[in-house]
Amino acid sequence: MKQMLNGLIVGLLACVAVAEQGDKPLEIMALVDHYDFAAVGDPQKPGHYLYDTETSEGCAKILDHVLLTGAQTVLWRPESGSMMRYHSKEESFLIRRGMDKRRMILHQEPVYTWVRYGESEVDLINYSLGLIRERGLCCGFHWPFEETHWAGWTFGPYNLEHPQYWGMTREGVPWSGRTSLAFPEAMAHKMRVADELMDMKPEVIFIDTWRNGGWSPRVEYVKPQVDRWKARYGTEPPPPNDLKWCEHVSETIHEWYRLMRARMDKQNPRPRLLVGFQLVGRGGSRDAVLRNCGIDWPKLVEDKLVDGIVVMGVAWDRKRPMESTREIYQDVMDMCRGKCQVFFPVQAYNFTRVGLEAYAGATGLSEGKVTEELLKITREVGADGVVLEVVDHENYRPDVRKALWDEAHRK
């Protein structure tokens, strides 16, 4: 009888918690890559651009546009790959003489080739965080796990100067897109970058594991990882899709989060540490995320290394779009069990074909109505908010922005 009463009390408290969550607006978290605004043409002035992304005025104009979504939390991207956009000492060039021939320059719009965020008169990232604070909003970083954004020109100076720490395939082919955290030197470098970010006093650091530049456990056959495997199992490492290998690699990444958590715990005020991933299906897709992103996300939650998880996209059923979405959301909530915050997607990007455009096609609803439904489901399962990935110029349509604005100002 006592156990039954205890169970009823716990259940009632859970219901009260969900009800209280339902009474307050969801936290709307906007991810901003201000580089994406660099080549937005001015329809009134052919050959001119709407935003000068290398100036303080341009960043303020970008923030004005982002805030049309009603976002209360704005997370600014601090880099392209590992080319930092603030005045970094850890990833700065010692000297420039012409073009670095180790770096491939893709032929894009002229403005893209010539942006120099790390050398601008104003430290644009630090300045943008200050602008967000001035508006009374929560500021922070959207920090992808990647060290290259799928292009050679995004390789940072540390990466170029330290090929001995590059990734490695099982066949022994070097992979230059990332320096492996299995090397203590590379881990120490990455923590120094984290220190630079924390010096700017963000309220949130959101590590996006989906943006990995092509990295995965398949390129972690570096000597420290292989030696650790052999010492433990006495065999050669298995193929990269072997879950046991992915779990082995994830231990190193888990250590990275442990070090981040320890660093952040010393900050005053302490920033929130969030981690994002996709695609997530029924049961939380732990193994799929592990293979693709190198993290064991339920273990991060269980070990209390993160303040929140951000589900950036879900693998919903085309025949049951909203019903299956609700089921996936509920599975994630059940796995987290109140141990951390949880955010679900309102995704304008459609690279994985699970965003607003795909929902609209499957349901026949407008994107604005789809947004209303997703917000409703997010509230009903008791999650903390939604993530907008990524807010570019006009990619969130007016009807979507209205639904988000109405949620942010709901009383």
Side-chain angles (χ1 to χ4, degrees):
M1 177 62 73
K2 187 177 179 181
Q3 280 185 325
M4 184 181 296
L5 286 172
N6 287 339
L8 285 171
I9 291 169
V10 170
L12 285 170
L13 289 173
C15 290
V16 169
V18 170
E20 288 177 350
Q21 172 64 27
D23 288 340
K24 66 179 182 179
L26 295 169
E27 181 177 355
I28 298 173
M29 184 164 59
L31 309 184
V32 182
D33 182 351
H34 90 271
Y35 176 67
D36 286 351
F37 289 81
V40 177
D42 186 340
Q44 305 301 319
K45 297 179 181 178
H48 292 75
Y49 299 100
L50 281 177
Y51 305 92
D52 185 346
T53 63
E54 293 178 86
T55 66
S56 55
E57 294 82 3
C59 289
K61 192 174 180 181
I62 290 168
L63 180 59
D64 288 340
H65 184 75
V66 170
L67 293 183
L68 295 175
T69 63
Q72 310 102 325
T73 298
V74 182
L75 307 183
W76 216 268
R77 186 91 59 87
E79 36 60 17
S80 298
S82 50
M83 288 286 288
M84 295 315 194
R85 298 175 184 173
Y86 60 91
H87 296 173
S88 172
K89 294 181 179 178
E90 183 63 25
E91 283 282 17
S92 64
F93 288 96
L94 297 177
I95 193 168
R96 175 184 289 125
R97 290 197 182 98
M99 182 184 290
D100 189 330
K101 295 181 176 63
R102 296 169 298 183
R103 193 184 299 281
M104 182 185 295
I105 304 296
L106 297 183
H107 179 66
Q108 295 179 309
E109 295 294 330
V111 68
Y112 280 118
T113 304
W114 294 105
V115 288
R116 292 286 185 265
Y117 297 136
E119 302 167 15
S120 58
E121 185 175 345
V122 175
D123 190 324
L124 296 172
I125 304 302
N126 210 347
Y127 175 80
S128 297
L129 262 62
L131 279 180
I132 298 164
R133 290 189 196 98
E134 285 178 11
R135 307 289 181 91
L137 304 170
C138 177
C139 71
F141 293 116
H142 171 216
W143 192 18
F145 187 71
E146 66 191 16
E147 286 185 352
T148 174
H149 198 64
W150 302 95
W153 65 268
T154 62
F155 285 15
Y158 186 87
N159 183 291
L160 291 176
E161 297 297 334
H162 296 86
Q164 69 270 35
Y165 304 141
W166 286 354
M168 186 78 68
T169 70
R170 189 168 182 244
E171 295 74 29
V173 178
W175 191 78
S176 57
R178 184 177 181 87
T179 55
S180 172
L181 294 176
F183 293 101
E185 297 87 348
M187 180 76 85
H189 156 69
K190 206 67 176 177
M191 293 312 303
R192 290 192 295 272
V193 174
D195 287 340
E196 289 187 338
L197 297 181
M198 282 185 264
D199 283 345
M200 289 183 261
K201 300 298 181 184
E203 295 169 75
V204 176
I205 294 181
F206 166 36
I207 300 177
D208 172 359
T209 65
W210 183 65
R211 284 176 172 81
N212 54 38
W215 177 90
S216 76
R218 69 179 176 81
V219 290
E220 279 294 313
Y221 291 86
V222 294
K223 189 175 187 303
Q225 294 281 35
V226 172
D227 288 350
R228 195 165 60 89
W229 176 276
K230 288 180 178 179
R232 179 179 294 178
Y233 300 108
T235 64
E236 292 295 324
N241 63 345
D242 188 298
L243 193 61
K244 202 169 183 180
W245 172 253
C246 297
E247 290 170 339
H248 178 76
V249 171
S250 77
E251 293 173 1
T252 301
I253 311 305
H254 203 76
E255 175 66 6
W256 150 254
Y257 281 97
R258 189 190 67 76
L259 292 172
M260 280 291 294
R261 173 79 284 157
R263 282 284 214 290
M264 294 171 77
D265 285 345
K266 294 177 181 178
Q267 302 296 308
N268 186 22
R270 183 174 75 83
R272 280 184 287 168
L273 177 59
L274 307 180
V275 59
F277 45 86
Q278 63 173 321
L279 285 166
V280 177
R282 291 303 309 271
S285 298
R286 177 261 186 184
D287 293 355
V289 172
L290 184 59
R291 287 190 171 99
N292 295 328
C293 304
I295 58 167
D296 186 339
W297 78 260
K299 183 172 173 57
L300 286 174
V301 171
E302 191 66 30
D303 290 353
K304 298 182 179 179
L305 295 186
V306 294
D307 296 295
I309 63 160
V310 182
V311 177
M312 302 175 72
V314 298
W316 46 271
D317 186 339
R318 285 334 194 241
K319 295 179 180 178
R320 304 170 54 250
M322 294 305 172
E323 298 88 345
S324 60
T325 295
R326 180 188 295 274
E327 290 164 358
I328 295 167
Y329 284 16
Q330 191 61 61
D331 284 350
V332 171
M333 296 301 296
D334 291 345
M335 294 173 74
C336 291
R337 301 190 304 281
K339 293 185 176 181
C340 67
Q341 291 188 303
V342 180
F343 296 84
F344 289 116
V346 175
Q347 192 177 33
Y349 277 13
N350 205 43
F351 296 137
T352 48
R353 298 184 181 179
V354 296
L356 294 176
E357 181 183 339
Y359 273 114
T363 62
L365 300 173
S366 68
E367 291 189 15
K369 289 296 183 184
V370 168
T371 301
E372 291 175 11
E373 289 297 311
L374 292 175
L375 293 170
K376 179 182 176 184
I377 295 171
T378 301
R379 282 196 304 272
E380 289 177 348
V381 299
D384 296 271
V386 294
V387 60
L388 312 183
E389 185 247 351
V390 168
V391 182
D392 290 341
H393 179 74
E394 297 290 357
N395 67 333
Y396 282 86
R397 298 178 180 182
D399 60 337
V400 174
R401 297 199 298 251
K402 183 181 184 306
L404 292 166
W405 181 274
D406 289 348
E407 172 61 32
H409 295 85
R410 185 167 56 84
K411 294 181 181 179

